[in-house]
Amino acid sequence: MSGPSTASLELPAVAESLTVVRQMLTGLGVDTLVVTGLGTSHCVYATCRDATDSFRVIVAREGNVRREVRLSADPLTVGRDPKNDIVLDDRRISRRHAEVRLRLGRYTLYDLQSTNGTFVNGRRIAEMVLSDEDRITIGGAELVVRLEG
């Protein structure tokens, strides 16, 4: 499957059973369901699991060390503290420096009020939706986002 993982269904009435919709989408491999209402018509957006999930990673490079960390629905923390998902040994990096969270179907990077900042493609950010091939710089480490195969 080459495309992103969003499905959209139009529901003609508010009374439509979300249980039926959920069962139908579960059969398609859907793991997230967000309902938004517009007047009397509703649109259901669903983020689906598919083969491209294995390519949603952050590649962390620190010196000659390179590793891949898989992105998921769980928050991913970055910093010096050993409790982080990505631990970077650099005094310029805060103990809890940054976090990547899945928000509205897109991965978003948040700087956690770090001392020296978080940079994406050379720009200092507080919060930013990530795209494929974005380069995150934290201290002397570089992280590359891989969202597509």
Side-chain angles (χ1 to χ4, degrees):
M1 195 178 278
S2 62
S5 52
T6 301
S8 179
L9 300 172
E10 293 290 334
L11 298 180
V14 176
E16 185 72 39
S17 169
L18 287 178
T19 302
V20 172
V21 172
R22 181 175 290 134
Q23 288 170 346
M24 180 177 63
L25 295 176
T26 300
L28 297 172
V30 171
D31 62 5
T32 303
L33 181 65
V34 178
V35 179
T36 57
L38 300 171
T40 58
S41 92
H42 285 71
C43 189
V44 175
Y45 295 94
T47 302
C48 305
R49 289 186 300 262
D50 58 34
T52 61
D53 278 353
S54 61
F55 295 107
R56 294 181 183 149
V57 297
I58 289 193
V59 180
R61 289 189 190 109
E62 188 178 20
N64 291 332
V65 178
R66 179 185 182 275
R67 66 183 185 272
E68 290 187 1
V69 179
R70 189 175 184 277
L71 292 170
S72 69
D74 297 325
L76 178 90
T77 57
V78 181
R80 260 189 6 251
D81 191 302
K83 294 177 185 169
N84 288 299
D85 300 298
I86 299 177
V87 179
L88 301 172
D89 187 24
D90 184 330
R91 296 186 76 60
R92 296 170 288 182
I93 298 172
S94 300
R95 283 187 286 277
R96 280 190 37 89
H97 195 100
E99 185 173 76
V100 177
R101 281 184 253 152
L102 185 61
R103 188 175 104 200
L104 301 174
R106 302 188 69 192
Y107 290 102
T108 304
L109 174 67
Y110 299 89
D111 180 86
L112 301 177
Q113 299 180 338
S114 65
T115 303
N116 293 315
T118 301
F119 298 81
V120 176
N121 302 324
R123 278 187 32 228
R124 188 173 183 152
I125 61 97
E127 171 184 325
M128 183 172 182
V129 173
L130 295 171
S131 298
D132 191 46
E133 297 295 323
D134 276 345
R135 296 192 179 284
I136 303 165
T137 305
I138 297 175
E142 181 177 87
L143 295 87
V144 179
V145 179
R146 302 265 191 248
L147 299 176
E148 299 175 7

